Amino acid sequence: MATLLPDGSPHVSVVWVAREGDRILLGVRDGSLKGRNTRRDPRVALSITALANPYEMAQIRGRVVERRPDADYRGKDAMSARYLGRPFPYRGWPDQMLLVIEPERVRYTKVSFTHAPPRA
């Protein structure tokens, strides 16, 4: 996920995502850099790669249209179950929230490469 810093330069970080209809959800702390950046400027970009095939990907540009409190970690736990197979292991951040992103531009690409990383 890319957000914009106060000087306009990009800040990029790896995030977990979920879908809610056509919208994208992701969990952040409101006081984190992602939280502060999107509060000031809601424009974001996401690059999503399929776990099973790194040559299948989506690039999304959009805006944060809603900020939902997630103090009970319900949203974060749902994402964690998908990525870790269990509830989110870290607790205690009272400013946990879900960002709701409305996509404005979406590009899907699937390249016909076969993923075969070299073996060590």
Side-chain angles (χ1 to χ4, degrees), residues 41-57:
D41 187 332
R43 295 177 296 168
V44 298
L46 296 163
S47 176
I48 301 172
T49 304
L51 291 173
N53 179 3
Y55 302 108
E56 184 174 5
M57 62 205 98

Side-chain angles (χ1 to χ4, degrees), residues 7 10 13 24 45 48 52-54 59 62 66 73 81 86 88-89 92 108 120:
D7 68 0
S13 57
I24 299 163
I48 301 172
N53 179 3
Q59 297 90 33
E66 186 181 346
Y73 286 76
R86 61 189 169 103
F88 189 64
Y108 169 78

Side-chain angles (χ1 to χ4, degrees), residues 11-28:
H11 170 259
V12 180
S13 57
V14 176
V15 296
W16 291 346
V17 297
R19 284 184 49 210
E20 184 178 80
D22 290 337
R23 291 181 168 178
I24 299 163
L25 305 177
L26 58 101
V28 302

Side-chain angles (χ1 to χ4, degrees), residues 1-13 15 26 28 32-46 62 64 67 99 101:
M1 174 182 169
T3 61
L4 295 170
L5 293 165
D7 68 0
S9 61
H11 170 259
V12 180
S13 57
V15 296
L26 58 101
V28 302
S32 71
L33 190 52
K34 291 182 291 293
R36 294 190 317 267
N37 284 347
T38 56
R39 195 175 329 108
R40 187 189 63 262
D41 187 332
R43 295 177 296 168
V44 298
L46 296 163
V64 174
R67 305 169 75 81
L99 300 180
I101 298 169

Side-chain angles (χ1 to χ4, degrees), residues 46-48 56-61 103-111:
L46 296 163
S47 176
I48 301 172
E56 184 174 5
M57 62 205 98
Q59 297 90 33
I60 301 165
R61 281 187 278 165
E104 295 175 345
R105 295 198 74 159
V106 177
R107 180 173 184 240
Y108 169 78
T109 305
K110 185 174 183 179
V111 180

Side-chain angles (χ1 to χ4, degrees), residues 64-115:
V64 174
V65 295
E66 186 181 346
R67 305 169 75 81
R68 293 182 193 160
D70 193 31
D72 63 1
Y73 286 76
R74 183 175 295 163
K76 192 74 163 194
D77 283 342
M79 285 181 220
S80 186
R82 180 174 171 207
Y83 287 91
L84 298 179
R86 61 189 169 103
F88 189 64
Y90 304 122
R91 302 288 192 199
W93 293 315
D95 63 342
Q96 187 66 33
M97 64 179 0
L98 296 175
L99 300 180
V100 181
I101 298 169
E102 181 76 40
E104 295 175 345
R105 295 198 74 159
V106 177
R107 180 173 184 240
Y108 169 78
T109 305
K110 185 174 183 179
V111 180
S112 61
F113 294 153
T114 300
H115 188 58

